[in-house]
Amino acid sequence: MRTKSSKNFRMLDIYVRLCEGKVVNKSEEAGKSGVDERSIQRDIDDIRAFLDEYRTENSLDGRAIEYDRGRKGFVMTGAEGSMMSNSEILAVSKILLASRAFTKKEIDTILEKMIEGCVPLKNMKLVRELISNEQFHYVELRHKTRIPDRLWEIGTDIKEHNLMEIRYSRGDHAEETVTRKIEPVAILFSEYYFYLNAFIVEPDGTGGCVHKYDYPAVFRIDRIREYRETGEKFQVSYADRFEEGEFRKRIQFMYAGELMRIQLKFYGENPEPVLDRLPTAYVVEQKEHEYTINAEVYGKGIVMWLLSQGSRVEVLRPESLRQEMKRQAQETARLYG
C-alpha cells in the first residue's frame, strides 16, 4: 500500500499542483512529507525530465518547471499542447460574446466551463476580469430559444442520413408555419443565428422522393417549431455530398438561391473588404484606385451586402443583378426625396 510519504505519491501530488498553477516550496514540501529537501529536488528533477522527454514527442507542449524567486518556489510555465492557451481562451470568449448566439444563461455556462477546464488556476481571475464587463452587458437575441440540444440532435440526423419533417415559421409572417420534408445536410452559423441547410424533397410518384430544387434551402434553427425523423433514410454518393465549406464561401446572409457568377468594380485603394467578404473573389484587372473582381455567389443575399458598400462597388454583370442594384438605389433615393 502506498502512503502519502511514498516517492510515487509525493511526485504525483507535486505534479498535479504544479499543473494547477500552484507554487511548490521545497522546504515546506519536505516538512509536509517528512523527507529532506534533496528528495524534493529529485522529485522536481524527475518531473522536469518527464516533461523534456514528452516535449520531444509533442512539439506543441511548452510546459517547463522553473524556480520563481519572487514567489520562492517552483512553478510550471508554458501550456500543454492539447489545451488552449490563455490568449486562445480569451479570444474565443470574446468571439462567443460578440456572436450573441446563445441565451444569457447558456453563454454564462459555456464561458465558465471553458475557463474552469482550460485556464491555469493562477490566471482564472484575470481571464474572468477581462471578459466580465462584456459578459455582464451581454444581450441575448429576442427568440430566446435553447439551441445546443437542437444542434446535437439535428447533427445526428445529418450524420445518419435521416429524412426529417419540420414545421417552420416564416420570418415575414412569424405566426404562420409551413411543413417541409427535408434531407438535412449541414449546420452553419452566420450573423447571430444557427442555420440548417437541407434539400426540400417531394414525392417522385414511385414511392420515393426527389429534390424540389437543385440547391439546398436554408432554415434558421430557432424558427423550427417542431422536427422529427420520418423513419426513412436518404442516400448521398461521395461525389454528390454536400460540402458546407464550399457553400459557405458563396452565400451571403444565408439567403439561398441559384449559383451566380458576378463581376464588379471596386473603387478604392484596397479591395480587401471585398476579398475578405467574398472568399471566392479574385482580382482580374487592376488600375489606380480601381479593381475589377470576379466571384461566385448563391442567392440574393449578395444584394444586401453590395448595398452596404455604397458607391465603392459597381456591379458589371450579370445584367439582371446590375438592374436589381439600380432599382434598389433608385428606391433608396426616393426615400430621401
Side-chain angles (χ1 to χ4, degrees), residues 14-24 47 51 61-67 71 73-80 120 122:
I14 291 173
Y15 176 73
V16 168
R17 284 186 289 123
L18 286 169
C19 288
E20 291 175 343
K22 296 178 180 176
V23 180
V24 173
I47 294 171
L51 291 176
D61 195 298
R63 293 176 299 168
I65 308 301
E66 297 179 359
Y67 185 77
R71 302 166 76 182
F74 292 91
V75 296
M76 182 177 288
T77 62
E80 186 176 355
K122 63 181 180 180

Side-chain angles (χ1 to χ4, degrees), residues 248-305:
R248 158 80 72 179
K249 292 178 185 178
R250 294 166 171 81
I251 193 164
Q252 299 296 315
F253 301 107
M254 288 297 152
Y255 277 79
E258 295 182 357
L259 185 65
M260 194 168 34
R261 291 176 175 82
I262 67 172
Q263 185 173 87
L264 54 86
K265 276 191 178 181
F266 173 81
Y267 299 100
E269 295 184 358
N270 187 353
E272 196 174 88
V274 177
L275 301 179
D276 284 345
R277 183 72 198 196
L278 308 177
T280 61
Y282 58 95
V283 176
V284 294
E285 186 179 359
Q286 177 180 347
K287 298 178 182 178
E288 186 177 4
H289 306 312
E290 184 180 305
Y291 298 81
T292 302
I293 297 172
N294 287 357
E296 284 187 344
V297 296
Y298 277 110
K300 294 297 179 66
I302 186 63
V303 174
M304 296 174 62
W305 181 78

Side-chain angles (χ1 to χ4, degrees), residues 32-67:
K32 185 176 70 174
S33 301
V35 298
D36 58 33
E37 291 187 19
R38 287 178 297 177
S39 296
I40 302 301
Q41 185 62 57
R42 283 193 291 269
D43 292 342
I44 291 171
D45 290 341
D46 286 343
I47 294 171
R48 278 175 167 160
F50 163 74
L51 291 176
D52 287 343
E53 184 175 346
Y54 186 76
R55 192 158 49 246
T56 61
E57 299 176 3
N58 300 268
S59 59
L60 293 177
D61 195 298
R63 293 176 299 168
I65 308 301
E66 297 179 359
Y67 185 77

